[in-house]
Amino acid sequence: MADDSVTDALIEDLELFDVHRKDRTGCQKENGGGVALICKKELQTIRAAEYEVESLELLWVKVIGVRTNLLASVLYASGYDLDVFTKLRTSLQLIPPRLRRNLVLPGDYSIEETSVKTRRTRELVSVIKEFAIFQRVRGDTRQRKTYSSCLDLVFVSQLSLVRCVSIVPPPSTSHHLRDQPGYW
């Protein structure tokens, strides 16, 4: 485990949740970090590591339903990794087309300004178009002294998968995104 300072025991009422985590390894920024999805135990979930790509802080979990399955992920797209969205494309290509119909991809995409045509931004826009995913966050999720930006994004393959996303003021200087309970 790359970051043993963050343990599952930090989650209140751990007996109510399954914790799926991917600690940071093989990345330029080796100290601590990683990504996690915390799912209610009532949901039948399994880790879908077969869709994950090495040196990409992306975790996939399959939520198994009676009629359909959902693939949920969490991504940390570090600003220093110029190939992060190429790796995301590779991960999405590993997913069978039938499972790509129900995707939810929240994360810190580290895109300061989507109108700026950097290589990273162009690659993300290309992935969005290729896999026909929709961005659900509207508004700034990061406030700086002189500017604000939208770093935290939620992409979905169907708009009905996430009906509402709210941006709440951060408890500190970092940026945070909170989904509405019961919406997905």
Side-chain angles (χ1 to χ4, degrees), residues 60 68-73 92 95-106 109 127-137 153-163 184:
W60 286 104
T68 189
N69 294 331
L70 170 92
L71 272 178
S73 72
L92 289 165
I95 300 169
R98 72 186 187 321
L99 288 177
R100 281 191 223 144
R101 290 188 296 241
N102 295 310
L103 297 176
V104 178
L105 299 100
Y109 283 76
V127 169
I128 291 167
K129 289 179 179 177
E130 180 179 343
F131 292 95
I133 54 178
F134 305 95
Q135 205 279 103
R136 298 297 284 158
V137 177
L153 303 174
V154 177
F155 290 98
V156 294
S157 57
Q158 295 181 50
L159 293 173
S160 62
L161 291 173
V162 176
R163 294 182 289 193
W184 59 288

Side-chain angles (χ1 to χ4, degrees), residues 26-46:
C27 297
Q28 182 179 349
K29 193 175 185 180
E30 212 38 66
N31 295 337
V35 293
L37 277 175
I38 302 167
C39 306
K40 289 184 178 181
K41 284 205 187 259
E42 299 95 58
L43 299 172
Q44 184 178 355
T45 61
I46 55 171

Side-chain angles (χ1 to χ4, degrees), residues 23-91:
D23 294 312
R24 182 176 285 151
T25 59
C27 297
Q28 182 179 349
K29 193 175 185 180
E30 212 38 66
N31 295 337
V35 293
L37 277 175
I38 302 167
C39 306
K40 289 184 178 181
K41 284 205 187 259
E42 299 95 58
L43 299 172
Q44 184 178 355
T45 61
I46 55 171
R47 175 86 178 266
E50 64 270 24
Y51 308 132
E52 296 170 12
V53 175
E54 187 159 336
S55 75
L56 178 63
E57 289 185 72
L58 172 74
L59 175 132
W60 286 104
V61 170
K62 186 185 292 186
V63 182
I64 301 167
V66 174
R67 292 187 211 157
T68 189
N69 294 331
L70 170 92
L71 272 178
S73 72
V74 63
L75 172 72
Y76 172 65
S78 57
Y80 58 78
D81 187 349
L82 296 177
D83 297 318
V84 67
F85 299 122
T86 301
K87 295 172 191 173
L88 176 60
R89 170 182 275 115
T90 301
S91 177

